[in-house]
Amino acid sequence: MDKVAAVENNQSIDSQCESLIASGVATLFATLVDSAGVIRGKSMPATRLRTISQSGVGASPSWALFCADNAIAWIPAFSAVGDDRLRADLTALVKLKDGFCWAPVDVFEQEGDRAAWCSRQFLRSQVEALQTAGIETLAAGELEFYLLPEDADAATGHWHAYGMGALLDREAVVNDIVNTLGEAGVGLEQFHAEYGTAQFELSLAPANPLTAIDRLVLTRILLGRIARKHKLAVSFSPKPFEGGAGNGAHLHFSFTRQGKPLLAGGDCAYGITAEGGSLIAGIVHYLPEMVALLAPSVLSADRLQPGHWSGAYACWGLENREAAVRYCAANPANPYGAHLEVKCIDPSANPYIACGAVLGMALAGHTQSMSLPEATQSAPADFSEQQRSEKQIKRLIYSQADALTRLEQSELARALFRPELLGALIAVRRHEHESYGHLPLKTTTEKFRFAWSV
């Protein structure tokens, strides 16, 4: 950056800082999502906006190895020596209520290069790779979660899935969520009671993938603030209770080339173009070896079960909620046009990693000119083993250990990820498996019920 540009940038930041302070903002929350899917961060006076955005604030590289139980899963690529810098992206800054603002951070080394373990940069790199291939993409997030009494050990009481009674019981919370998310500009589209007792779900509007995931992370933070205000606790665990419904964190994707949709207007099934078909094929083909990035926790396999609408099998189908990839066709009921919903993702995943991994799988299918596989229009579990084998429909996960082994052996994963980041992602989940994988499910659900809460 030349001197003139640097001065103008400083003036712009100072102006932004003055405007925030004049509006009553005193504190900045700056956050990242680590390899365990936990939102971590630092706070500082809003007066230090220029510092946090340019030189950043310090964070040990061990942040890349923090586990959901706060252990550190050391690997040779990291040590106790050194210091990285967290730099706030002020283009994504959002003013919150009560004197606060929030911004996501990118991780840099002290000399100015981006740190290898920065998950936000990983997502950015996958979006840019698609753009280089001439493909633009939008993403949107869904989020399932439980709202529980602070001292509750279980979700109990009368409950109708998708019932109005559940919303009326929480009128004040519902209004607070709608108003707060509206003020934050995250694009809330709907909010409803889900299948599990005390479980809710919300959906956000599509945006470019980096913005979409930033908004998803901010939404989780805001839900944590709102829950505390109402003397509740929010759980984003993939499996908060033994025998209860699991939480998903589905992501939706659309793809275009020069403004024309690739998932509609073509000659393949349901009007999908050949190019769009290759994107779907890549996701379906690579999901089994990459699922440890999308459903990565010690509890994820217990959520990703057939018959639970979680997308337990690597296949795709038109409005098939049992397929890992649900195709939503362009029609009068779909205001955003044709898109894909990847259902196997859960909230224990780092959403920047999950979103970037899906885009990387899609681009791999495009690069290899994969053909669109046959759509699956039945529940895969209803097929026999032989039928699934003939249709090349694979179960995504039986155990966390098996999924991690496949990820370690994945050539695509090694091509997409810098080795330090991939090593960190695997190490923290190996720690989970080795420490808790042998325990009864009831024990692990209790241990991790609030591990991904904020």
Side-chain angles (χ1 to χ4, degrees):
M1 182 182 295
D2 61 40
K3 292 182 179 180
V4 174
V7 170
E8 291 178 348
N9 187 49
N10 288 341
Q11 291 174 341
S12 176
I13 295 172
D14 291 343
S15 176
Q16 186 176 9
C17 179
E18 291 170 4
S19 176
L20 286 170
I21 293 171
S23 68
V25 172
T27 306
L28 168 70
F29 290 140
T31 67
L32 58 74
V33 186
D34 70 10
S35 303
V38 175
I39 300 173
R40 303 187 192 266
K42 296 195 173 186
S43 65
M44 63 217 63
T47 53
R48 299 197 69 220
L49 211 60
R50 189 197 293 186
T51 298
I52 183 63
S53 65
Q54 293 183 340
S55 57
V57 295
S60 165
S62 63
W63 280 39
L65 305 169
F66 283 167
C67 302
D69 64 355
N70 286 325
I72 302 177
W74 291 110
I75 58 175
F78 298 88
S79 75
V81 177
D83 190 58
D84 288 330
R85 310 298 292 180
L86 309 180
R87 293 189 193 175
D89 181 353
L90 299 188
T91 66
L93 184 143
V94 175
K95 180 183 171 185
L96 308 176
K97 289 182 177 180
D98 307 320
F100 293 91
C101 63
W102 167 87
V105 301
D106 288 299
V107 188
F108 286 79
E109 297 175 349
Q110 288 195 340
E111 295 302 317
D113 295 329
R114 292 185 186 274
W117 59 277
C118 180
S119 62
R120 198 165 179 264
Q121 175 58 19
F122 169 72
L123 173 55
R124 187 183 288 113
S125 70
Q126 300 311 304
V127 173
E128 292 172 351
L130 278 166
Q131 290 173 338
T132 299
I135 300 172
E136 298 290 336
T137 183
L138 295 177
E142 293 182 12
L143 188 60
E144 294 172 344
F145 55 94
Y146 280 69
L147 286 175
L148 303 164
E150 288 181 318
D151 58 353
D153 291 324
T156 59
H158 180 71
W159 188 267
H160 285 138
Y162 314 107
M164 280 303 300
L167 297 177
L168 295 177
D169 286 343
R170 296 287 189 206
E171 282 187 16
V173 181
V174 170
N175 272 337
D176 207 354
I177 289 173
V178 171
N179 290 332
T180 300
L181 297 187
E183 291 167 356
V186 299
L188 178 66
E189 299 221 313
Q190 64 169 317
F191 176 61
H192 62 268
E194 250 293 345
Y195 188 83
T197 301
Q199 186 185 37
F200 297 86
E201 181 181 28
L202 57 80
S203 302
L204 303 180
N208 73 74
L210 192 63
T211 298
I213 301 304
D214 284 342
R215 290 174 176 175
L216 190 63
V217 171
L218 176 57
T219 296
R220 289 175 64 159
I221 294 170
L222 293 175
L223 288 173
R225 291 189 81 195
I226 293 167
R228 286 171 171 81
K229 176 181 174 182
H230 293 274
K231 306 301 182 184
L232 297 169
V234 60
S235 174
F236 298 114
S237 170
K239 196 75 170 180
F241 300 99
E242 182 183 23
N247 285 323
H250 314 158
L251 290 176
H252 294 248
F253 299 89
S254 63
F255 302 93
T256 59
R257 179 181 290 280
Q258 297 180 340
K260 295 182 179 181
L262 298 180
L263 299 177
D267 298 324
C268 297
Y270 310 115
I272 298 169
T273 68
E275 194 171 17
S278 70
L279 297 169
I280 297 173
I283 298 172
V284 171
H285 177 80
Y286 286 109
L287 268 176
E289 64 190 68
M290 302 283 277
V291 69
L293 301 170
L294 313 184
S297 76
V298 69
L299 292 169
S300 294
D302 289 291
R303 169 190 169 265
L304 210 54
Q305 295 289 327
H308 289 67
W309 291 12
S310 57
Y313 289 91
C315 59
W316 76 282
L318 175 65
E319 297 292 359
N320 187 347
R321 287 178 169 82
E322 279 291 293
V325 180
R326 172 190 171 207
Y327 174 71
C328 304
N331 55 44
N334 188 353
Y336 295 122
H339 63 273
L340 307 175
E341 179 188 19
V342 180
K343 296 183 62 63
C344 54
I345 305 170
D346 71 48
S348 70
N350 178 323
Y352 297 102
I353 297 295
C355 185
V358 171
L359 295 180
M361 289 184 270
L363 182 57
H366 176 271
T367 301
Q368 298 170 44
S369 299
M370 291 184 178
S371 297
L372 179 67
E374 179 185 355
T376 300
Q377 291 307 114
S378 301
D382 292 343
F383 297 136
S384 67
E385 285 284 355
Q386 181 177 344
Q387 288 173 318
R388 284 195 293 269
S389 177
E390 291 171 352
K391 296 175 180 293
Q392 297 184 324
I393 297 175
K394 297 180 180 179
R395 177 79 178 271
L396 284 179
I397 186 171
Y398 289 97
S399 71
Q400 185 185 32
D402 175 60
L404 287 170
T405 296
R406 278 181 271 143
L407 179 61
E408 286 177 317
Q409 296 172 347
S410 170
E411 293 184 6
L412 179 61
R414 289 193 292 272
L416 294 180
F417 288 88
R418 295 179 67 172
E420 298 91 341
L421 177 55
L422 183 60
L425 291 165
I426 292 172
V428 297
R429 302 304 180 171
R430 282 286 183 202
H431 166 80
E432 281 183 24
H433 171 70
E434 292 169 1
S435 300
Y436 307 101
H438 62 286
L439 298 177
L441 179 58
K442 186 176 188 297
T443 302
T444 52
T445 58
E446 292 173 354
K447 170 68 179 178
F448 290 99
R449 184 168 300 148
F450 300 108
W452 296 279
S453 301
V454 289

